Structure formats: structure tokens, C-alpha cells
Amino acid sequence: MATNEPKNTTGGAPFGLAPGGVAWLGPEPAREGNTAFFYGTLMHPGILKRVVKHEGAELEIAAAILFDHTRFHVKYCDYPAVIPSDIAIQVIKDGILADDDKAVRGVVVKGLTSKDIESLDFFEGDQYCRDEVLCAPITEFKRLSTVDTQQLLAKSGTLPSPSSATVPTFVYRWNDPLKRLSSETWNYDQFLKEKLWRWLDRE
């Protein structure tokens, strides 16, 4: 499995660049049947559908956990970023990371085509790097068209053990300098209440 290990963990330069400073987009996706873990705006089915430019009739979704990562608010933006938890201590003010902040609750979506991944790469831009990781689904997969993400996450219950069954998946990890991240973690419910309308009203 290809990975993109951090090359620089300081607050000045991006840490997810390939040699030569060019953003590494990640391993080549399969033509059909790709899986991706979403932890920010793309957890909302309406936003995901707009990005992939179809109604997602063949897509399935489940609540999932990404262990050993931490989600932060990107400064002056509506959206978050995830970085490995061993790097996250550089972002928080006191340098101490609670155990609950070493796992990210999100959703895993399967059935994405290579064209969908191309659209997602474009949407995420060079701020993020697509990488292969393992995530732990904690609910049954359901058709995307039938799911309310808030209810799905509410049913996810307590945090499972890191030894829970996992699936390989793509995730878009932060690729810009750490100094662009707020020490505050990002909250999906707050995004829905305060910011969602701006994303669904975009042309």
C-alpha cells in the first residue's frame, strides 16, 4: 500500500509534499468500487452529490472512525482538516491531546468511481493529499439516498476499540502548513446549523 509520510512537521512548510515540492494526489484509484472516508463538509450527502455531479444512486454510506488522527478547524474557513495525532500536538495550545481527540468520527462511502475520485481531487485541491488509510465502520452500510448523516452519526454509539474491524479507504489529509490550523476542533452539527446554507446555495 502506498503511503505519504510527512516530510516536514513544522508550522512553516507543507508536510505532505512529494520530492520537489509537488503535491502528491495519492495512489491511482480503481475504475469502480473506490471507498473514501469523509470527516467534514462532504459528510453531507447534498454536498457530496454536488461534487461528484450525480445523485449517488450506487453509493453506500456508513458511520466510521478514523483512528490515530485529529480533526481541526481550518482558520477563517468553514471546513476542517485531519492530521495524524502524533503531529496534532503541535497545533493545540497546551500540547496535550485527549484520547477522544485521537479518533475522528465521520462517514465512509463506497462505490465511488475513478471519475468521482477525480472530481473529489479537484474539489479538495492542493490543500489536501489523498492517502490510503484504514477506517472502522461502526454502522451498517445504507444507500446514500436514504440516509440523514446526523441520524447516522447519532447511532454510532460509543467509540469502538482501535482493534475493531477495518476497511481500506482513501482520506484527504491536510497538506498545507500546520500554522493554518486552529487549535479548535471542528464540529459537524455546528456546521449544519451555521454554514450549510452557504454550501448548498452555491452555483
Side-chain angles (χ1 to χ4, degrees):
M1 178 181 294
T3 59
N4 184 35
E5 293 300 321
K7 303 297 190 296
N8 185 325
T9 60
T10 67
F15 65 81
L17 297 180
V22 178
W24 186 81
L25 289 179
E28 190 71 19
R31 177 170 293 184
E32 305 288 344
N34 297 284
T35 301
F37 177 86
F38 300 121
Y39 55 87
T41 59
L42 289 170
M43 286 196 290
H44 190 280
I47 297 175
L48 178 59
K49 291 174 186 178
R50 293 192 70 167
V51 171
V52 298
K53 302 180 180 65
H54 61 77
E55 289 301 307
E58 302 302 319
L59 300 181
E60 295 185 351
I61 186 172
I65 301 292
L66 179 63
F67 288 106
D68 300 321
H69 285 72
T70 302
R71 174 171 47 198
F72 290 107
H73 207 125
V74 178
K75 291 179 180 177
Y76 315 116
C77 297
D78 296 341
Y79 50 84
V82 295
I83 57 176
S85 296
D86 58 352
I87 297 172
I89 59 174
Q90 300 179 39
V91 178
I92 56 180
K93 294 178 180 178
D94 57 9
I96 300 174
L97 199 62
D99 288 341
D100 285 350
D101 292 328
K102 296 178 183 178
V104 177
R105 289 182 181 272
V107 298
V108 59
V109 175
K110 65 181 183 179
L112 295 159
T113 65
S114 58
K115 186 174 181 180
D116 294 336
I117 297 296
E118 182 179 337
S119 296
L120 289 163
D121 285 349
F122 181 80
F123 173 78
E124 299 289 4
D126 58 10
Q127 285 186 314
Y128 296 86
C129 180
R130 175 167 46 82
D131 201 359
E132 284 186 314
V133 295
L134 296 173
C135 75
I138 49 179
T139 64
E140 294 182 357
F141 279 91
K142 295 185 177 182
R143 290 289 182 183
L144 181 72
S145 58
T146 66
V147 166
D148 179 295
T149 310
Q150 276 184 298
Q151 294 181 3
L152 185 69
L153 294 174
K155 294 178 181 178
S156 61
T158 58
L159 198 66
S161 166
S163 62
S164 301
T166 58
V167 296
T169 183
F170 290 133
V171 68
Y172 289 88
R173 299 200 296 187
W174 187 242
N175 192 48
D176 262 9
L178 297 182
K179 64 183 181 181
R180 292 204 53 211
L181 301 181
S182 167
S183 60
E184 298 178 357
T185 55
W186 186 88
N187 183 277
Y188 182 62
D189 289 338
Q190 185 176 358
F191 167 76
L192 294 181
K193 293 175 183 177
E194 300 177 5
K195 307 293 185 181
L196 176 62
W197 65 271
R198 301 202 299 191
W199 290 73
L200 292 183
D201 286 346
R202 289 180 176 182
E203 294 298 330

